[in-house]
Amino acid sequence: MCGIVGYIGKRKAYPVLIKGLHRLEYRGYDSAGVALINGQGQLNVYKAKGKVAELEAFAADKDTDGTIGIAHTRWATHGEPNTVNAHPHYSESERLAIIHNGIIENYAVLKAGLQAEGYTFKSDTDTEVLVQLIEYTQVNRQVELKTAVQLALQQVIGAYAIAVLDKEHPDTLIAARKGSPLVIGVGQNEYFLASDATPIVEYTDQVIYVEDEEIVVLNLSSAGNQHSGVEITTINNVQKTPEIKRLELSLSQLEKGGYTHFMLKEIFEQPRTLADSMRGRVNLRQDNIALSGFIDNKDRFLSAKRIIITACGTSWHAGLIAMYAIEEFAQIPVEVEYSSEFRYRKPVINRDDVVIAISQSGETADTLAAIQLAKQHGAFIFSVCNVVGASIPRLSDSGCYTHVGPEIGVASTKAFTAQVAALTMLALCIGREKGTITQELYLRVVRELGQVPGKMERVLGQNKRIADFAKTFTYAQNFIYLGRGYNYPVALEGALKLKEISYIHAEGYPAAEMKHGPIALVSQEMPVVVIAPKCGTYEKVVSNIQEIKARKGKVIAIVTEGDQLVSRLADYTIEVPQTEECLSPLLTVVPLQLLAYHIAVVKGCDVDQPRNLAKSVTVE
């Protein structure tokens, strides 16, 4: 979950690294650090607790010379967030420096062995153990750095993306990965490395995606063309040929574009990103949906006895909505699993199962492990991801990219709506091919999909009013969110958004479950958000609202435009346009995103970088 960045070339490395850290700060912001080899061969390491700005302030009067360096922004796992535990970490002799994203699971055993050899440790991190192990191997086996890294990693259990500097070889940068993302940017006689492409896009659109258990040696002295300065081998020293791919990312996508926060920008981008996600897939002229990932593997879906959806967090909520759609349209049983539980509970997986993995980043560690398990049992893997070239889509048999562009805000918004749309399209494709959905319903939903982006714009038009009444609820310490059917997962998602960015405790429930316990919490001090569009079980939800009002609860209701009944009952209402029930989550979630955002802003919370969280969870 940490962010790593490296540079070797002719530029001053420090500005490149600092800018890269700012781009990666959504991956972690407990502490930050940089290591540089200057023109005199000195290896300088500077670190600071807090965000990248704290590192910049600390290093302002330091020697930041050098054209090679590595840098890191941390989300703490082993050891509390402080300057000592911040990366980079020196080796014992301070000859080497390392940065690391991941977890070394057997670090304690390795550390004990090194202590027995006389090594001392300054930090509480697993990462320092790794750099000490590399130096120990280098010195005692009398091998070059690349070999020392290979031999050390053969002893490691866990996940890692690392970059290592050796001050005795100031023209070489070594990196490796297993289970944590790493991408190499290839420029003109210069190379970049990072956890994802965001720090690279400003300099080059030529990238190499590093595979598991690969070691990369970037050597400037041998860089005559794009390939000659890049050597890739496995940890077992099998030579690999670098495969350069073109990066589909623009610099403007990484800027706020006039918005106060990335999260607000990404909420307002949803009409466009949803349209982008459907472009080339929803043909309104022919009233048809075409998903190549389905078309090319039609038989696997049509013969599936069961579909298992595995995901984490917001993506899990999108999976719940997909369960409703697939079971309604395709008549295939669906199970929705938390990846972290699925991978460990010895699940029954059959060869005729289809496993759908959902992950914005495509690097979520638990989801990646879940599909590896499913693949071992012969299941067909279909992924829904946003980041092209990420680990999960590469491991999958087929899939669907959501194409919403980079999502910088830690709390997911536009990725969620694109995932819901993609999975709904998949459900419609399966149902039509199986003949389990009527042509009338199929056409109605397809046509309505094309109208959703415009209807989202109407919801976003209420932003100011939502911001105004959001101020009323900053006093609250608890919220309840209620929904039924397709909108029960939206209640879960709305509660998660509020928790993530405002630090207010919130829980989502099926509305009918109120009377089975949670209604005991209802009082004048307990705001209750009810998602009540005029579809499905509308009358039942109205009854639930009446139960809340009878106990003096404060109700914020998401209602269909023109609704009079719920509007009279609720204390506050936010209207959404009429749409098909299966598509209503695409509209009802938007006001919940805005509500959470504005409550957090009024409370003075760091909306884009909420405490204790990181964007891409690449560790267990």
Side-chain angles (χ1 to χ4, degrees), residues 50 90 106 109 153 218 243 252 256 283 308 322 330 419-420 438 454 470 496-497 515 535 546 553 565 572 589 617:
Y90 276 126
N106 62 335
V109 174
L153 291 179
L218 303 175
E243 183 180 353
S252 64
K256 290 180 184 174
N283 188 330
I308 301 169
Q419 288 167 351
V420 171
T438 66
L496 178 61
K497 286 289 140 315
K515 62 179 69 71
C535 56
Q546 290 168 327
L565 179 55
Y572 302 89
V589 75
V617 184

Side-chain angles (χ1 to χ4, degrees), residues 24 38 57 65 154 545 604 615:
L24 289 173
N38 67 14
D65 187 31
Q154 288 172 12
I545 294 172
K615 182 68 179 174

Side-chain angles (χ1 to χ4, degrees), residues 322-335 427 436 486:
M323 177 184 71
Y324 284 90
I326 293 170
E327 291 193 340
E328 179 182 355
F329 300 148
Q331 296 291 292
I332 300 173
V334 179
E335 297 173 12
T436 49
Y486 281 94

Side-chain angles (χ1 to χ4, degrees), residues 205-525:
D205 63 356
Q206 304 295 301
V207 296
I208 300 167
Y209 293 104
V210 184
E211 302 287 349
D212 269 359
E213 297 192 338
E214 287 185 346
I215 293 176
V216 181
V217 179
L218 303 175
N219 191 301
L220 200 60
S221 63
S222 60
N225 56 52
Q226 283 189 322
H227 288 281
S228 61
V230 183
E231 177 194 346
I232 300 180
T233 58
T234 69
I235 62 172
N236 295 314
N237 209 35
V238 177
Q239 200 75 26
K240 305 293 285 289
T241 301
E243 183 180 353
I244 296 179
K245 297 187 177 180
R246 188 171 183 275
L247 185 62
E248 299 292 339
L249 185 64
S250 68
L251 191 59
S252 64
Q253 292 175 301
L254 306 177
E255 306 298 336
K256 290 180 184 174
Y259 288 91
T260 311
H261 297 94
F262 279 109
M263 183 180 178
L264 187 62
K265 176 194 176 191
E266 288 157 7
I267 291 171
F268 271 82
E269 282 179 335
Q270 287 176 110
R272 177 185 59 78
T273 56
L274 193 64
D276 289 345
S277 186
M278 295 189 295
R279 185 171 293 116
R281 293 165 174 170
V282 178
N283 188 330
L284 295 177
R285 289 184 179 179
Q286 298 178 10
D287 294 325
N288 189 39
I289 292 175
L291 285 179
S292 59
F294 168 75
I295 293 168
D296 297 341
N297 302 279
K298 190 185 304 181
D299 292 343
R300 290 306 302 258
F301 284 98
L302 299 183
S303 63
K305 300 291 191 297
R306 176 180 61 159
I307 290 176
I308 301 169
I309 297 175
T310 183
C312 303
T314 285
S315 296
W316 187 80
H317 298 155
L320 285 179
I321 294 169
M323 177 184 71
Y324 284 90
I326 293 170
E327 291 193 340
E328 179 182 355
F329 300 148
Q331 296 291 292
I332 300 173
V334 179
E335 297 173 12
V336 185
E337 300 270 3
Y338 282 115
S339 298
S340 55
E341 291 297 311
F342 181 73
R343 63 180 292 196
Y344 285 118
R345 66 171 181 78
K346 296 184 174 62
V348 176
I349 306 168
N350 302 310
R351 295 187 67 82
D352 54 7
D353 287 336
V354 170
V355 173
I356 299 176
I358 313 170
S359 167
Q360 187 280 138
S361 67
E363 301 291 350
T364 309
D366 286 320
T367 305
L368 188 57
I371 64 172
Q372 288 170 331
L373 174 64
K375 212 170 174 65
Q376 290 168 11
H377 287 79
F380 179 79
I381 312 298
F382 184 92
S383 60
V384 177
C385 295
N386 184 37
V387 180
V388 176
S391 298
I392 287 173
R394 291 209 306 271
L395 190 64
S396 301
D397 298 303
S398 184
C400 174
Y401 284 115
T402 52
H403 297 303
V404 300
E407 189 177 64
I408 306 299
V410 167
S412 183
T413 52
K414 64 180 181 176
F416 173 77
T417 48
Q419 288 167 351
V420 171
L423 291 160
T424 302
M425 288 189 285
L426 178 63
L428 289 166
C429 288
I430 302 170
R432 188 184 200 195
E433 198 66 34
K434 285 188 68 180
T436 49
I437 183 174
T438 66
Q439 182 70 358
E440 178 192 4
L441 178 57
Y442 176 84
L443 292 176
R444 228 173 44 229
V445 176
V446 171
R447 291 166 185 165
E448 184 61 21
L449 263 171
Q451 303 302 312
V452 169
K455 292 183 177 183
M456 272 185 169
E457 294 278 10
R458 282 154 59 184
V459 179
L460 290 166
Q462 300 173 78
N463 177 54
K464 186 178 184 307
R465 194 171 69 82
I466 295 170
D468 288 341
F469 77 69
K471 298 171 187 174
T472 307
F473 296 101
T474 53
Y475 72 87
Q477 297 186 24
N478 300 281
F479 263 74
I480 292 177
Y481 286 70
L482 302 176
R484 295 193 75 158
Y486 281 94
N487 283 292
Y488 160 52
V490 178
L492 296 174
E493 176 61 12
L496 178 61
K497 286 289 140 315
L498 190 70
K499 280 184 279 196
E500 285 179 312
I501 62 171
S502 75
Y503 318 138
I504 295 173
H505 174 255
E507 296 297 333
Y509 291 97
E513 289 299 302
M514 272 293 290
K515 62 179 69 71
H516 296 285
I519 200 166
L521 298 171
V522 173
S523 70
Q524 289 180 312
E525 288 73 42

